[in-house]
Amino acid sequence: MPVSARVQPPAGNSGNVIRDSALGIVPGTLEPYLALNAAVWDAGPLPAAEVELARLRNARHTGCVMCQAVRYDVAISDGLTEEKVQMIRANEPDAELSPRERLLVAFVDQYNLDPAGMDDALRSALRDQFSEAELLHLSLLVAWFNGSSRCAVALGGMPEAMPRMEISIPR
């Protein structure tokens, strides 16, 4: 059963899914929000398909229906497939994921379940597969996506399900 929205979106329709959401009510914070979102995608060393895998795994934890339905076009262009999306949506990541992708999923799970409880084996495996810059980028993007998803869920009004939709990074 959908929860009543606690905040209504603005009356206008710009065609931009984020600008037209409740976030559009406060334009002074919306522009920096969009700029940071673009930087998370554009300015870090991780490829877009890996960023999207982390975003979607995070959405599984937060229960954000919209986040689970969205696919960013840059990730699809970078090779993200729906088969891979379904693998990371499962309780246990599929063995067909690369070792790096399985570690990315493990990191997102650890962040969501017990960020301070990372064991030495996971820490070592992450350092073997990811550079320091990539690990920092991964940490920042998971924090960003987690906060954004939780904000969307807390605002309420989401349907129980949404169809898959492809969007561009709002700017």
Side-chain angles (χ1 to χ4, degrees):
M1 168 179 252
V3 176
S4 296
R6 291 177 246 325
V7 177
Q8 297 301 315
N13 183 1
S14 71
N16 179 297
V17 69
I18 293 179
R19 288 181 194 285
D20 295 339
S21 75
L23 295 173
I25 293 172
V26 186
T29 59
L30 179 62
E31 296 311 317
Y33 174 94
L34 293 173
L36 182 54
N37 191 57
V40 163
W41 283 92
D42 297 340
L46 292 174
E50 289 182 353
V51 172
E52 185 73 324
L53 285 175
R55 188 189 68 77
L56 290 166
R57 186 64 177 197
N58 177 74
R60 180 184 178 278
H61 284 282
T62 62
C64 181
V65 174
M66 181 180 164
C67 298
Q68 292 175 36
V70 165
R71 305 292 182 274
Y72 281 98
D73 59 353
V74 293
I76 293 166
S77 295
D78 191 39
L80 180 73
T81 64
E82 278 304 303
E83 292 77 23
K84 209 163 266 196
V85 170
Q86 293 311 312
M87 288 178 205
I88 64 137
R89 292 182 80 169
N91 283 336
E92 292 295 321
D94 194 291
E96 292 183 37
L97 293 174
S98 71
R100 183 175 166 101
E101 291 165 335
R102 284 195 302 275
L103 281 168
L104 187 142
V105 168
F107 178 87
V108 175
D109 291 349
Q110 187 71 50
Y111 177 94
N112 277 275
L113 301 173
D114 183 12
M118 186 180 296
D119 63 35
D120 289 339
L122 178 56
R123 187 176 292 111
S124 177
L126 285 164
R127 287 183 178 147
D128 287 345
Q129 284 287 325
F130 293 89
S131 70
E132 287 184 349
E134 289 172 325
L135 285 172
L136 177 60
H137 187 212
L138 180 59
S139 299
L140 292 173
L141 69 88
V142 173
W144 174 247
F145 294 145
N146 191 270
S148 298
S149 294
R150 288 180 185 275
C151 178
V153 170
L155 290 174
M158 282 202 200
E160 290 182 24
M162 291 178 72
R164 180 195 174 280
M165 66 182 104
E166 186 176 320
I167 66 171
S168 296
I169 297 167
R171 305 206 185 265

